[in-house]
């Protein structure tokens, strides 16, 4: 028996008037999920422990079987693992986004945050911009490390875990009240605007109609993580397929195999087919028991507030990932259990994460069920099936 998680990051949503009162998941053309749902169990999972923030960090830890209340030490330390930073016990890791704030004559504190991803900036462009920041701001206390796209890392030697606001939580708002209380962190953010706003790359980006990547933004502080081995914990050899450093870092911490897929970039234009083929390969040719396929696009489209593009991301997940995985494993006559779910909702109406339970679909190729339902938020709720503790999800998947 092989086991698969297909995770559409932020895929769950709220009913939208623009979609006739349907959610993007309900509205999207998803023939493969519609077909599988009739043969599957559906229900709701609570992935966010009470009292914790609805981040992709806590939620994905839950889905992978790690209780965030026991294992979570912050988002950025997990990303540090992916980047290859060997944190000292006294280090604090902080996410360093390259963001877009309003390009006007107002003081920095009175500017508005426009885009947490700077039009999903390429890693190539971000590397040049981060180097410009490093040249002026890095020192013995603060070290900058390149990540992927807009997602980068600051290591604070002998720092402290301070309260910081995720940029995607305050899109469209004046930034002053959300700046760090720590004077050094706040000063570096302000200085970064002076460095980046007139950078040739940003001048060129504006000419192309792209958002300028004109400021850094700190959030997600935490200490060195300590995850237990996924294989020792579950007695299954596990692999991760993701384009984002957070998921790769969780995999490093859990001693899972990280599979790099060419063209996988965490955007709507990621290499969906490549992820599906890599999953089939690792399960059938490399003798792995479990693979976690993470697709970032629905979450990014939710943050952007784009209904059309979020629907498209879900349709791509259906036709270019799920269909290919199912068809590929069926062709090889492999027995498997597959769970499809989001980690958390990213509703278009708020453009950030919420803590509501998420819909799941559990398909077992050896136990075909007979239902009339489709896989979506409303019908998952009607099913009456509910997993209260998200970190039990993996045990449920492995229960056969």
């Amino acid at each position: 028996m092989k086991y698969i998680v297909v995770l559409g990051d932020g895929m769950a949503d709220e009913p939208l008037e623009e979609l006739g009162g349907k959610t993007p998941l309900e509205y999207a053309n998803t023939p493969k999920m519609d077909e599988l749902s009739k043969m599957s169990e559906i229900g709701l999972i609570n992935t966010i422990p009470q009292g914790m923030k609805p981040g992709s960090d806590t939620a994905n830890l839950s889905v992978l079987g790690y209780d965030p209340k026991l294992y979570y030490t912050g988002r950025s330390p997990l990303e540090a693992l992916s980047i290859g930073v060997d944190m000292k016990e006294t280090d604090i890791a902080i996410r360093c986004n390259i963001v877009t704030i309003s390009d006007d004559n107002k003081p920095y504190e009175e500017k508005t945050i426009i885009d947490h991803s700077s039009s999903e900036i390429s890693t190539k462009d971000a590397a040049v911009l981060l180097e410009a920041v490093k040249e002026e701001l890095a020192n013995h206390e603060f070290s900058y490390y390149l990540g992927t796209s807009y997602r980068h890392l600051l290591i604070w030697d002998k720092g402290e875990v301070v309260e910081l606001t995720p940029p995607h939580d305050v899109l469209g708002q004046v930034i002053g009240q959300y700046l760090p209380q720590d004077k050094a962190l706040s000063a570096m953010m302000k200085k970064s605007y002076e460095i980046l706003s007139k950078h040739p790359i940003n001048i060129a980006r504006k000419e192309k109609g792209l958002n300028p990547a004109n400021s850094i933004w700190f959030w997600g502080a935490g200490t060195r993580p300590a995850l237990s081995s996924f294989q020792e914990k579950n007695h299954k050899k596990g692999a991760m397929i993701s384009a984002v450093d957070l998921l790769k870092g969780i995999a490093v911490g859990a001693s899972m195999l990280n599979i790099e897929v060419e063209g996988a970039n965490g955007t709507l234009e990621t290499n969906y087919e490549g992820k599906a083929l890599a999953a089939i390969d690792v399960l059938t040719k490399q003798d792995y028991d479990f693979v976690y396929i993470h697709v970032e696009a629905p979450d990014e489209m939710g943050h952007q507030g784009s209904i059309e593009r979020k629907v498209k991301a879900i349709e791509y997940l259906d036709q270019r990932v799920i269909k290919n995985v199912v068809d590929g494993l069926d062709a090889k006559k492999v027995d498997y259990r597959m769970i499809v779910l989001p980690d958390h909702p990213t509703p278009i109406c708020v453009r950030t994460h919420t803590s509501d339970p998420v819909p799941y679909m559990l398909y077992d190729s050896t136990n075909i069920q007979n239902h009339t339902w489709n896989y979506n938020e409303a019908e998952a709720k009607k099913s009456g099936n509910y997993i209260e503790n998200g970190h039990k999800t993996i045990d449920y998947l492995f229960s056969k």
Side-chain angles (χ1 to χ4, degrees):
M1 180 68 74
K2 302 295 184 179
Y3 303 90
I4 307 107
V5 168
V6 177
L7 193 131
D9 201 303
M11 181 165 60
D13 211 301
E14 300 290 334
L16 294 166
E17 184 179 334
E18 295 90 338
L19 300 180
K22 295 182 178 181
T23 68
L25 182 57
E26 285 180 282
Y27 182 86
N29 180 27
T30 53
K32 197 63 187 179
M33 285 193 277
D34 291 346
E35 175 191 343
L36 291 174
S37 64
K38 310 297 188 295
M39 301 181 280
S40 303
E41 174 186 315
I42 66 173
L44 294 176
I45 298 176
N46 178 39
T47 58
I48 308 298
Q50 187 172 1
M52 298 193 77
K53 294 180 179 179
S56 292
D57 41 19
T58 50
N60 280 280
L61 282 171
S62 279
V63 177
L64 267 167
Y66 294 93
D67 185 349
K69 289 192 171 181
L70 300 177
Y71 290 98
Y72 183 66
T73 64
R75 179 183 182 120
S76 293
L78 296 167
E79 294 172 331
L81 290 177
S82 171
I83 293 171
V85 178
D86 185 14
M87 290 179 64
K88 305 189 298 293
E89 293 290 344
T90 56
D91 282 344
I92 300 298
I94 298 176
R95 165 72 87 84
C96 176
N97 275 37
I98 298 184
V99 304
T100 303
I101 61 174
S102 54
D103 194 9
D104 50 38
N105 293 322
K106 294 179 180 178
Y108 186 79
E109 294 80 4
E110 296 177 17
K111 293 181 183 296
T112 301
I113 184 162
I114 306 297
D115 183 355
H116 75 291
S117 71
S118 299
S119 295
E120 297 181 298
I121 188 171
S122 70
T123 303
K124 180 181 178 182
D125 281 356
V128 177
L129 296 176
L130 190 67
E131 189 60 34
V133 170
K134 284 171 63 174
E135 286 180 7
E136 293 208 34
L137 299 182
N139 54 40
H140 68 282
E141 187 177 5
F142 296 104
S143 302
Y144 290 83
Y145 295 88
L146 181 69
T148 304
S149 182
Y150 61 88
R151 314 170 187 93
H152 308 286
L153 178 69
L154 177 76
I155 294 292
W156 184 5
D157 183 37
K158 297 182 178 65
E160 58 180 307
V161 177
V162 293
E163 188 70 23
L164 299 167
T165 302
H168 48 261
D169 283 359
V170 292
L171 292 169
Q173 298 186 43
V174 175
I175 66 176
Q177 64 179 310
Y178 304 112
L179 296 177
Q181 293 297 306
D182 182 86
K183 291 181 179 179
L185 297 178
S186 184
M188 285 191 290
M189 285 175 60
K190 185 174 182 179
K191 181 65 176 177
S192 74
Y193 178 78
E194 298 175 18
I195 298 167
L196 298 177
S197 60
K198 296 181 176 62
H199 195 284
I201 281 181
N202 279 323
I203 294 171
R205 288 178 68 80
K206 288 196 288 185
E207 290 174 352
K208 296 175 185 176
L210 299 171
N211 287 332
N214 58 12
S215 181
I216 59 175
W217 187 287
F218 298 130
W219 65 286
T223 56
R224 184 176 177 175
L227 300 181
S228 55
S229 162
F230 183 87
Q231 185 169 350
E232 291 177 8
K233 187 171 178 288
N234 299 289
H235 309 291
K236 302 283 190 295
K237 286 180 67 178
M240 173 67 69
I241 301 173
S242 178
V244 301
D245 286 325
L246 170 63
L247 274 296
K248 293 178 183 179
I250 291 174
V252 171
S255 300
M256 296 170 65
L257 174 69
N258 260 314
I259 300 175
E260 296 291 337
V261 174
E262 185 176 357
N265 56 17
T267 73
L268 185 61
E269 308 306 325
T270 196
N271 185 359
Y272 300 91
E273 290 84 0
K275 290 187 174 188
L277 290 172
I280 295 167
D281 183 80
V282 79
L283 291 175
T284 61
K285 296 181 182 179
Q286 300 183 48
D287 197 33
Y288 275 73
D289 307 295
F290 167 76
V291 64
Y292 195 98
I293 309 170
H294 173 262
V295 175
E296 176 77 356
D299 184 61
E300 288 296 324
M301 300 310 107
H303 288 310
Q304 291 180 14
S306 173
I307 298 172
E308 179 184 358
R309 285 162 64 83
K310 184 165 187 179
V311 168
K312 183 62 69 177
I314 294 169
E315 292 175 345
Y316 285 165
L317 182 75
D318 179 76
Q319 284 298 289
R320 300 171 67 181
V321 178
I322 296 171
K323 182 180 187 300
N324 285 333
V325 168
V326 169
D327 290 353
L329 293 178
D330 286 348
K332 294 179 180 293
K333 299 185 175 359
V334 173
D335 293 336
Y336 61 97
R337 283 166 64 87
M338 177 178 70
I339 190 166
V340 177
L341 76 166
D343 48 351
H344 52 68
T346 307
I348 293 287
C349 61
V350 294
R351 295 179 64 189
T352 191
H353 307 161
T354 64
S355 299
D356 294 333
V358 297
Y360 74 89
M361 174 173 65
L362 178 60
Y363 173 76
D364 186 332
S365 68
T366 68
N367 181 25
I368 302 301
Q369 302 187 28
N370 184 16
H371 300 287
T372 59
W373 53 38
N374 284 324
Y375 170 60
N376 57 58
E377 298 88 346
E379 297 201 49
K381 185 176 182 179
K382 286 181 187 175
S383 74
N385 296 319
Y386 182 61
I387 300 175
E388 183 174 3
N389 296 310
H391 65 276
K392 299 291 187 183
T393 303
I394 209 75
D395 294 336
Y396 195 49
L397 177 65
F398 292 158
S399 61
K400 180 175 178 181

